[in-house]
Amino acid sequence: YKGSDNFTIPVGCALFFLAAGNEVFNPLLPVLLIPVLAAGAYIVYKKNVLTRYGSIAAYFLGVYLFCVAGMQWSVPVAAFFGTSVLFTIINGRVNRKPGDTNRRNVWQVCANIFFAVCASAGYLIWGTDAFIHIFITLVAMVTADTWASELGPVFSRRCFSLAEWRMADSGTPGGISFSGTFAAIAGALMITVLSQYLFFGRVDIELTAVITIAAIGGTFVDSLLSAFAEPKLAAMDYFTHRTGPDSPSPNDIVNLTASLSAPLLYLLLRMI
């Protein structure tokens, strides 16, 4: 796309030689995965799941996770993305939303996974297990938040608005419902348990509880920011003049900030 092969071909060759010189990975893995990931990115773009640049960002994210970081890092993110797409489709059909209403752009992709990628890179550089725990917490938090946002309106027509301190229509920014809270807990637990099996081959009950609580806490922070900070951000000139499909939104800032709160809460709980 517009000369992108000038970048993707050198990067593809670099990944091939990186894998060929590493005894852990099969040298053919990048060669097989790169076209598969490209096809997957194209499909989610054509299905209106991601915008053009959102699908490109997801493609490079997939190349990094599957070809560089490894399967332990890739599977939790793939589980988050797959379930998010599924529940977004279900929510759209149940509430009869237009097909392209919930397309995620490059900013939303980065807001959800940026700090998790940083944590994985931190482990690859320093090899400290704390980065694994932070990575799991971050993915568990964004999964919990997405499950709550998509499944809450499916099972609950009303929610409690933190901004107005009263009952409101389901899907209101900063709203909390029983079904959304239950979905958030389920999503956080799913990622936490799955990730521990992948990284450590077992599940630690204490670690599971700490990460799940931190993830749910991050989801609550996201609701608070959506209720009180997002309307103020939306009124800023920077956002009012950016309305294209790949433009940043106040919700992206909220998601990025809230996702950072989850590992901070995890570290606080571990200290306690």
Side-chain angles (χ1 to χ4, degrees), residues 2-73:
K2 294 184 178 180
S4 61
D5 55 313
N6 293 325
F7 176 74
T8 56
I9 290 177
V11 169
C13 293
L15 289 171
F16 173 81
F17 287 111
L18 175 66
N22 192 328
E23 297 178 0
V24 177
F25 295 106
N26 187 329
L28 294 178
L29 185 62
V31 177
L32 297 174
L33 281 178
I34 285 174
V36 170
L37 292 169
Y42 179 76
I43 291 172
V44 295
Y45 165 64
K46 297 300 289 185
K47 293 294 184 181
N48 284 327
V49 176
L50 297 174
T51 63
R52 173 180 293 171
Y53 293 109
S55 64
I56 292 174
Y59 166 70
F60 285 114
L61 173 65
V63 170
Y64 164 74
L65 289 172
F66 281 96
C67 299
V68 179
M71 294 300 294
Q72 297 96 326
W73 307 90

Side-chain angles (χ1 to χ4, degrees), residues 64-236:
Y64 164 74
L65 289 172
F66 281 96
C67 299
V68 179
M71 294 300 294
Q72 297 96 326
W73 307 90
S74 311
V75 173
V77 176
F80 155 68
F81 181 75
T83 55
S84 298
V85 170
L86 174 62
F87 295 152
T88 298
I89 293 173
I90 293 174
N91 184 20
R93 290 182 177 178
V94 170
N95 292 291
R96 298 180 180 179
K97 296 181 178 180
D100 60 348
T101 300
N102 290 320
R103 281 197 307 170
R104 290 173 170 83
N105 60 27
V106 59
W107 301 102
Q108 290 168 314
V109 172
C110 293
N112 282 321
I113 213 67
F114 173 75
F115 289 120
V117 170
C118 291
S120 68
Y123 178 81
L124 295 178
I125 295 172
W126 290 289
T128 304
D129 283 352
F131 287 108
I132 297 178
H133 299 163
I134 291 173
F135 171 83
I136 298 173
T137 304
L138 287 162
V139 179
M141 183 267 155
V142 295
T143 303
D145 181 60
T146 302
W147 283 29
S149 300
E150 301 298 342
L151 292 180
V154 171
F155 295 101
S156 298
R157 296 300 178 186
R158 304 285 288 175
C159 68
F160 182 78
S161 173
L162 294 174
E164 301 177 358
W165 206 250
R166 63 179 179 83
M167 298 302 295
D169 292 334
S170 183
T172 300
I176 298 176
S177 66
F178 176 79
S179 58
T181 302
F182 182 81
I185 295 172
L189 278 173
M190 186 269 289
I191 293 296
T192 302
V193 172
L194 173 64
S195 299
Q196 287 186 77
Y197 269 118
L198 290 169
F199 282 106
F200 309 115
R202 61 183 180 85
V203 175
D204 183 275
I205 301 300
E206 180 181 345
L207 181 61
T208 300
V210 170
I211 291 178
T212 301
I213 293 172
I216 300 303
T219 304
F220 184 71
V221 170
D222 184 272
S223 297
L224 287 173
L225 293 176
S226 297
F228 299 104
E230 188 171 343
K232 292 181 173 58
L233 291 172
M236 296 173 60

